Amino acid sequence: MPDSNALELIHLADEEQSVSLRIVEGMSFSGSDRYDALRGEIVIGTGFVSGRVELYVNAFDLDSWAEVLDSVDAGRKATWLESGRSPRVMIDCTEETESGYTEVSVYDVTGSQVFVTVPVETPPDWTARHRRLLAEVRDRFPLES
């Protein structure tokens, strides 16, 4: 059963396929009133393959997610979480994709080594919606910088 307190940072879905990243909880190791990291999970759902992988993100990661959204807005491919310490997310919404849709790839670098690409039909304004999701995550889970 999904956690009712979870908050989506990424939600790319159409009638058939989806890729989402849900923030499940904040983790505080320093004892302050701010979080040091956020525990989340990437969930993939298609008629062909479904999967889930856990990950942790920090303030730097959220800043780089904002940069990914900027790149995508500019019509470029973008990769998020390239450090090798967590699953990697790649977004290609260029017109050259084989499917003709936004292609979201998840590479479980640290675990299974599985690489999955999911074509998702996205509305033109999806990045604006994701900026709002990012703001909601930052508001609910204030992170140490």
Side-chain angles (χ1 to χ4, degrees), residues 16-140:
E16 297 178 21
Q17 309 188 121
S18 66
V19 177
S20 64
L21 189 158
R22 299 175 333 122
I23 301 299
V24 177
E25 68 178 330
M27 312 289 290
S28 182
F29 309 110
S30 61
S32 77
D33 61 343
R34 299 177 74 80
Y35 297 108
D36 299 299
L38 305 177
R39 185 173 69 87
E41 62 182 1
I42 297 172
V43 179
I44 297 171
T46 76
F48 178 68
V49 65
S50 296
R52 178 193 157 288
V53 62
E54 190 171 274
L55 76 159
Y56 294 85
V57 296
N58 57 32
F60 174 80
D61 297 328
L62 294 183
D63 291 343
S64 61
W65 175 240
E67 292 170 8
V68 164
L69 294 173
D70 290 342
S71 291
V72 170
D73 275 341
R76 296 186 304 267
K77 299 176 188 178
T79 301
W80 186 50
L81 301 174
E82 295 182 89
S83 69
R85 66 172 169 74
S86 66
R88 185 173 302 148
V89 177
M90 291 141 285
I91 299 175
D92 184 355
C93 60
T94 62
E95 294 179 9
E96 295 86 32
T97 64
E98 187 174 328
S99 66
Y101 296 119
T102 298
E103 292 183 352
V104 184
S105 301
V106 177
Y107 178 24
D108 182 16
V109 177
T110 60
S112 67
Q113 298 292 305
V114 170
F115 184 93
V116 176
T117 298
V118 180
V120 180
E121 187 174 10
T122 53
D125 65 342
W126 73 265
T127 57
R129 178 175 181 264
H130 280 77
R131 289 180 200 288
R132 290 189 297 274
L133 293 175
L134 175 58
E136 289 175 24
V137 167
R138 285 180 164 159
D139 286 345
R140 185 178 305 169

